Amino acid sequence: MTRTPSRLKSLLFKARHFLGLATTSAAAAAASFSATATSTAMEELKTRVCIIGSGPAGHTAAIYASRAELKPILFEGWMANDIAPGGQLTTTTVVENFPGFPEGIMGVDLTEKFRAQSARFGTRILTETVTKVDFSRTPFEVFTDSKRVFADSVIVATGAVAKKLNFAGSEKFWNKGISACAVCDGAAPIFRKKALAVIGGGDSAMEEANFLTKYGTKVYIIHRRDTFRASKIMQSRALSNPKIEVIWNSAVEEAYGERVLGGLKVKNVVTGEVSDLKVNGLFFAIGHEPATRFMDGQLELDSDGYVVTKPGTTKTSVRGVFAAGDVQDKKYRQAITAAGTGCMAALDAEHYLQEIGAEDGKSD
């Protein structure tokens, strides 16, 4: 039987994939064929508003945009930055500070309600991760591995991931005594009237330590150096608080306990001595990393990588591209403030579309 070149490439690809016996040249041919096939198969979509992100900012933007009949497409991601669709809230337990839920609500359940409300009004939700964008011309282009979206406007709501430390027990006791947000979790019953610890040396660590003194009997600040990098005023507030004690030149080696955190093994990095610290809560306060890498520098970012927005708006350095939620907020980082900026972004996008006359070119 005569084999066409495409048939040969297909056979070579299958041989390499399933048997691992292809030669270097065969692998190269298969890879070339695969890339061509992927490019050909990529689905193209058009929308007036493309929303990237599925936390409270992204879904609030989607609710407002869909109710305005803008027919938004929302990419909720798939384990983007190792977090499930729904964002940081999916990594928390009970949320007690979001209005409307006097008894509290599990973070995962809250994000499901966000999603259901977005879908109810017609948002097209795609469980794919955006890998790159092109903001150099309009319509803007948003790419995943299988889709290419042409959008008249884009709302970036990809959030920021709290930086964590990895040591023995850090994963085991995550959300069982270990957290990365004192304001979110500090008032929980598990931490009340207990000894707590904060890791960090910047303003966030000072602020979180002071905040936790409202609930804990004692708060330790564990810092691997002998000086803080926090501002003088924030240092003064922490150091003058009688409920705060600093453990200098130290790092956590291990977290231990039974069902929940019971204590820490703390190593002095100068002497090498390891001591036992009985605490029932540990909070990482070592910063956040905004999810902006996929944009490859196409938007103006500040020195910490957050999207810069025009004060009082969600407008970015590129006209028609807006940013909402923690990706542009390094100060508050709360679900409710993210939702507020999601509303702002949708309204800003709607006004922009009216300005450019895109209201006459609705998506298919």
Side-chain angles (χ1 to χ4, degrees), residues 89-93 95 105-113:
L89 280 176
T90 63
T91 69
T92 66
T93 52
V95 178
I105 183 171
M106 296 296 290
V108 171
D109 294 336
L110 183 58
T111 60
E112 281 299 311
K113 289 182 180 294

Side-chain angles (χ1 to χ4, degrees), residues 1 101 109 125 203 235 248 309 338 341:
M1 180 178 68
F101 303 95
D109 294 336
I125 301 173
D203 281 355
Q235 289 189 49
W248 301 103
T309 53
T341 56

Side-chain angles (χ1 to χ4, degrees), residues 115-133:
R115 193 181 195 279
Q117 194 167 353
S118 292
R120 175 195 170 196
F121 291 111
T123 301
R124 182 173 181 180
I125 301 173
L126 301 175
T127 310
E128 299 182 35
T129 299
V130 172
T131 55
K132 64 178 180 177
V133 295

Side-chain angles (χ1 to χ4, degrees), residues 17 99 114 127 136 139 143 169 212 229 233 249 314 331:
H17 184 68
F114 293 158
T127 310
S136 64
F143 297 86
L212 290 169
R229 66 180 183 278
I233 188 170
N249 297 314
T314 60
K331 182 177 181 180

Side-chain angles (χ1 to χ4, degrees), residues 167-178 255-261:
F167 47 79
S170 62
E171 289 298 324
K172 178 180 179 181
F173 294 105
W174 181 252
N175 282 333
K176 298 177 182 178
I178 298 180
Y256 65 85
E258 295 182 4
R259 291 188 303 109
V260 297
L261 181 68

